[in-house]
């Protein structure tokens, strides 16, 4: 069963616009990871959030984890064509395992 | 530094044939993961190893699938016999066994079963 839901499933934005992708879990997460995938390639790690209320930024991408550790958002400021791809969130369950599964993904297209 | 290396990159085979996918993880990484990606089901975890030992294979679809890791630098995923529904991109990933959630992915093996 799918334990993570991402929204929206797909998104088309004009270059320069801001956008937000959401990831929701039905249960409290040990941690939350964001990855990006370009077409035909493997996934690339973006960032990890572990604490409730935590926020991290890398270049123009900011990710937040809510206080209850059940929802995360990924925000891109002033989007560029290089941001296009599939964004996936993945939960970490517990400290004794590094098993990592992923959400359904959000396909982002950025129009020049 | 070399990343995760997968082979073959593309494989086209006929139903009933045996398929073997190979993976070389990053040196020094203790965990290895096999994923399958399709449009319908997204990215699914098939199996993962810690220190060459299979920890969780609950994602392996059925007995036709098997995975091995004979040493720290090599793993295989075998499908025998293959079926058209096995067509997908198969990814291998590795990580340090520190539960950081940072996996390093190979470029994938695209399998087409006719």
């Amino acid at each position: 069963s799918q334990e993570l839901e991402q929204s929206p499933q797909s998104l088309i934005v004009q270059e320069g616009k801001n956008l937000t992708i959401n990831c929701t879990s039905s249960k409290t997460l040990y941690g939350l990871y964001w990855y990006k995938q370009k077409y035909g390639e493997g996934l690339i790690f973006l960032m990890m959030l572990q604490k409730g209320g935590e926020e991290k930024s890398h270049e123009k991408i900011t990710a937040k984890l809510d206080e209850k550790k059940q929802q995360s958002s990924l925000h891109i400021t002033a989007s560029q064509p290089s941001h296009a791809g599939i964004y996936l969130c993945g939960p970490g369950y517990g400290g004794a395992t590094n098993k990592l599964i992923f959400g359904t993904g959000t396909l982002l297209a950025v129009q020049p | 530094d070399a990343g995760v290396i997968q082979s073959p990159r593309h494989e086209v085979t006929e139903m009933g044939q045996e398929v073997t996918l190979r993976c070389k993880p990053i040196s020094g990484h203790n965990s290895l993961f096999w994923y399958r990606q399709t449009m319908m089901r997204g990215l699914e975890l098939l199996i993962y190893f810690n220190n060459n030992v299979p920890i969780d294979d609950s994602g392996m679809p059925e007995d036709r699938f098997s995975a091995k890791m004979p040493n720290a630098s090599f793993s295989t995923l075998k499908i025998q016999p293959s079926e058209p529904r096995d067509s997908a991109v198969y990814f291998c990933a590795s990580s340090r066994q520190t539960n950081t959630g940072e996996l390093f992915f190979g470029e994938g093996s695209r399998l087409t079963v006719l």
Side-chain angles (χ1 to χ4, degrees):
Chain A
S1 62
Q2 184 59 257
E3 300 177 20
L4 285 180
E5 293 289 336
Q6 282 187 241
S7 62
Q9 288 189 339
S10 62
L11 190 58
I12 302 174
V13 299
Q14 291 286 333
E15 183 177 357
K17 296 295 185 182
N18 303 335
L19 64 105
T20 299
I21 298 169
N22 295 300
C23 176
T24 302
S25 172
S26 57
K27 52 185 179 181
T28 301
L29 301 167
Y30 173 78
L32 194 288
Y33 313 94
W34 283 100
Y35 283 77
K36 178 186 175 184
Q37 182 182 27
K38 289 191 174 182
Y39 180 76
E41 300 180 9
L43 281 68
I44 297 174
F45 175 82
L46 293 177
M47 56 189 87
M48 177 190 73
L49 305 165
Q50 278 193 305
K51 300 176 182 178
E54 186 175 9
E55 179 177 320
K56 286 187 177 179
S57 293
H58 176 68
E59 297 181 344
K60 294 186 178 181
I61 300 177
T62 300
K64 301 178 183 179
L65 182 62
D66 75 339
E67 290 289 344
K68 292 184 178 180
K69 297 174 69 174
Q70 286 187 274
Q71 186 166 5
S72 179
S73 61
L74 186 82
H75 184 77
I76 298 178
T77 303
S79 58
Q80 301 170 354
S82 62
H83 288 127
I86 300 174
Y87 289 82
L88 300 102
C89 62
Y93 292 111
T97 177
N98 56 354
K99 176 177 178 176
L100 186 59
I101 61 174
F102 290 92
T104 50
T106 295
L107 176 61
L108 171 64
V110 180
Q111 293 182 333
Chain B
D1 292 338
V4 175
I5 300 173
Q6 291 187 246
S7 64
R9 289 296 311 278
H10 301 275
E11 174 94 6
V12 180
T13 190
E14 292 187 344
M15 183 173 62
Q17 296 298 307
E18 177 178 297
V19 174
T20 299
L21 307 179
R22 298 172 178 80
C23 175
K24 176 179 171 56
I26 293 173
S27 178
H29 282 191
N30 298 323
S31 297
L32 184 140
F33 306 77
W34 281 101
Y35 289 88
R36 175 173 70 175
Q37 187 175 40
T38 61
M39 288 292 293
M40 291 297 294
R41 300 175 68 86
L43 195 63
E44 303 173 277
L45 176 64
L46 301 177
I47 185 172
Y48 81 97
F49 297 83
N50 278 353
N51 296 318
N52 313 338
V53 176
I55 302 301
D56 187 339
D57 65 354
S58 59
M60 295 286 263
E62 49 197 89
D63 292 344
R64 298 185 298 107
F65 284 69
S66 62
K68 294 182 179 179
M69 192 165 185
N71 57 62
S73 59
F74 184 66
S75 177
T76 60
L77 178 68
K78 186 176 292 187
I79 308 172
Q80 167 64 19
S82 58
E83 296 182 4
R85 59 186 168 136
D86 301 330
S87 298
V89 181
Y90 291 81
F91 287 102
C92 176
S94 69
S95 73
R96 296 182 182 85
Q97 196 176 346
T98 58
N99 200 28
T100 65
E102 183 174 3
L103 275 60
F104 294 79
F105 280 77
E107 295 189 330
S109 294
R110 181 174 295 275
L111 173 65
T112 301
V113 183
L114 303 174

